[in-house]
Amino acid sequence: MRTALATFGALAVTAALAADFPPPDKLPSVPEMPSPVVMRDGTPVTSKADWEAKRRPELKELFQHYMYGTYPAKPEKVTGKVLFEDARAFGGKGTLREVEITFGPPEWPKIYLLVATPNGKTPAACFVGPNFQGNHCLVADERVRVTPDWCYPNTPGVKNNKATAEGRGKVLDVWPFEQALDKGYAVATFYSGDIQPDRPDVQEGMRKTLGTGPEKKNPAETATVMWWTWGVHRAVDYLVTDPAIDPKRIAVVGHSRLGKAALLAGAFDDRIAVVIPHQSGCGGAGPSRSKNDKAEPVARITKAFPHWFCANFTAFGGDTTKLPFDQNDLVAICAPRPVLMTNAEEDQWANPSGQFDVLRAAAPAYELYGVAKPVVADKMPETGRLAAERLGYFLRTGKHAMTPADWKAYLEFADVWLK
């Protein structure tokens, strides 16, 4: 372990956060979502230059210190090895390949990126994001790797939290490759457990690799949502080198806890052109200062899933008004790039109305760029109608899931902003 860290020092967790951030209990109470265009010291931000030089970096540091943990440094080298390629996949509509992405010594975790590109329509815009099930569940191709890592127990074919070939091709609607290919888009996805399995008390994944532990002695230690985010960025490292992908038209998408990672990935990587956090709720696109008593609160999510966030965030469960930011500020970091929030009527736990409030409260940062108005709709659109403003919104009927109906909205939004 010591040798690996010495050799790949660029991967060691950085410690460049502001030294003067007070402990959570010493922060002032701010009842409403803090404005993205007001500095911590109260100074208004009135220009794009000041936003990019001062407030945006300040917000990134605040989110790392108090919520997601430190963003790990970029690897010195990222390489992709194509494990197989089928140029006549999906009935000839596209090319399917699985790519092994390496970013450290041989014993380190690797990302296995499943990439589908439309034939005859490249370089294509591309959706990228992590999945819950493992690549083998998303297509029936027997060449696709079955992950050996810990898996969610409700995944088809999983026995004792281990994936089996019985799950192959059993989850086709969550990442519907053909639906995207038919519209001329590429899709790239990897199992989130490649980078960090979703368990709080086990030394595995990048936590084990870097010798950091679930005991979180450092209250701003890199947490699981941040590791998934970092994994998305390593996938983007590969995609921008793939001649079948347009590097300037990459959209990140994720569902639920992986939607939290999708929003964070968009905020922390300007190479991502469109950001789509789906039903990401508390800790994602939902406000911490929630006004929806049916939505998941910070106190509950940090108790149930303490590993998703750094230890500092847990301290705000009793009083979210002490947070020096809210999720509108994370969306604001994405400015001026388009962000689409998608939700379902019956999924109040994810706080659909609160997410729309977040969009509205993020708009001042976008206005600094002089973008065409309206940046965001005046009110929540009716169910089933896509509001395709730069800060977009979509609400469908149904429950907590990522479905072809959601992908229809993603593709329509991409038609506006990626073509």
Side-chain angles (χ1 to χ4, degrees):
M1 185 65 63
R2 292 179 183 275
T3 301
L5 285 173
T7 304
F8 287 78
L11 263 178
V13 173
T14 61
L17 298 179
D20 64 340
F21 288 166
D25 63 340
K26 301 299 182 183
L27 290 162
S29 176
V30 181
E32 300 299 321
M33 285 187 277
S35 171
V37 294
V38 177
M39 297 288 293
R40 235 182 100 222
D41 64 4
T43 303
V45 176
T46 58
S47 70
K48 171 186 167 184
D50 280 349
W51 164 258
E52 293 184 347
K54 299 177 182 178
R55 179 56 169 163
R56 193 170 185 259
E58 179 180 74
L59 284 172
K60 284 187 174 184
E61 291 188 347
L62 287 168
F63 275 105
Q64 290 176 79
H65 186 75
Y66 289 116
M67 190 168 184
Y68 299 109
T70 306
Y71 182 84
K74 184 177 178 180
E76 294 177 351
K77 184 178 181 182
V78 177
T79 59
K81 175 185 176 183
V82 177
L83 302 181
F84 80 86
E85 183 171 271
D86 182 357
R88 302 298 298 169
F90 308 105
K93 294 178 181 179
T95 296
L96 181 69
R97 67 177 69 91
E98 191 167 36
V99 182
E100 181 184 78
I101 298 176
T102 303
F103 41 81
E107 68 272 17
W108 282 30
K110 299 174 180 61
I111 290 172
Y112 292 86
L113 190 67
L114 192 63
V115 185
T117 54
N119 287 337
K121 298 178 182 178
T122 56
C126 181
F127 292 91
V128 62
N131 66 69
F132 286 106
Q133 297 83 10
N135 294 345
H136 66 287
C137 289
L138 308 183
V139 292
D141 196 310
E142 294 185 357
R143 293 168 292 184
V144 175
R145 175 180 178 270
V146 177
T147 179
D149 297 311
W150 178 94
C151 290
Y152 294 96
N154 58 347
T155 300
V158 168
K159 298 176 181 178
N160 298 319
N161 294 111
K162 291 293 184 181
T164 71
E166 292 179 17
R168 195 178 295 281
K170 295 293 179 62
V171 187
L172 300 179
D173 287 344
V174 177
W175 287 84
F177 293 99
E178 287 195 59
Q179 185 178 357
L181 293 173
D182 286 342
K183 293 277 288 182
Y185 291 93
V187 178
T189 183
F190 64 93
Y191 174 51
S192 58
D194 285 353
I195 201 78
Q196 189 60 60
D198 192 7
R199 294 194 284 184
D201 300 320
V202 180
Q203 281 291 81
E204 58 191 342
M206 289 304 297
R207 277 206 306 260
K208 179 179 179 181
T209 299
L210 292 186
T212 58
E215 67 274 6
K216 296 187 177 180
K217 294 178 181 178
N218 172 8
E221 181 180 295
T222 308
T224 297
V225 170
M226 183 62 91
W227 275 122
W228 290 334
T229 292
W230 189 84
V232 171
H233 295 165
R234 306 292 70 81
V236 173
D237 287 341
Y238 168 76
L239 291 172
V240 297
T241 70
D242 186 337
I245 303 297
D246 186 338
K248 296 188 180 300
R249 294 191 296 148
I250 294 175
V252 65
V253 62
H255 172 226
S256 194
R257 63 198 66 179
L258 302 182
K260 305 179 201 304
L263 178 55
L264 189 59
F268 276 66
D269 193 334
D270 292 347
R271 296 175 299 176
I272 293 170
V274 168
V275 185
I276 307 176
H278 176 58
Q279 295 179 327
S280 59
C282 183
S288 295
R289 294 165 173 80
S290 177
K291 298 177 181 178
N292 179 357
D293 60 9
K294 295 181 180 179
E296 184 174 25
V298 170
R300 192 270 178 187
I301 201 171
T302 54
K303 182 177 180 180
F305 306 105
H307 58 298
W308 289 358
F309 309 98
C310 71
N312 273 334
F313 191 55
T314 303
F316 296 99
D319 186 2
T320 57
T321 69
K322 286 185 171 293
L323 274 167
F325 52 77
D326 213 311
Q327 300 310 98
N328 62 309
D329 298 309
L330 190 62
V331 174
I333 294 172
C334 298
R337 293 164 293 145
V339 176
L340 171 65
M341 293 184 185
T342 50
N343 288 283
E345 284 183 326
E346 296 179 53
D347 184 21
Q348 290 301 310
W349 197 239
N351 202 352
S353 60
Q355 290 191 38
F356 187 76
D357 292 341
V358 163
L359 285 180
R360 299 278 296 169
Y366 281 73
E367 292 166 359
L368 293 175
Y369 287 84
V371 297
K373 296 183 179 181
V375 175
V376 60
D378 290 332
K379 61 181 180 179
M380 279 181 63
E382 61 269 21
T383 301
R385 186 182 74 81
L386 171 67
E389 285 84 0
R390 189 174 294 262
L391 292 174
Y393 191 88
F394 175 74
L395 181 72
R396 61 161 168 80
T397 58
K399 301 182 179 182
H400 191 75
M402 191 157 75
T403 71
D406 298 311
W407 276 92
K408 183 175 183 291
Y410 307 161
L411 293 163
E412 289 178 0
F413 192 76
D415 281 347
V416 173
W417 295 104
L418 290 181
K419 286 187 174 179

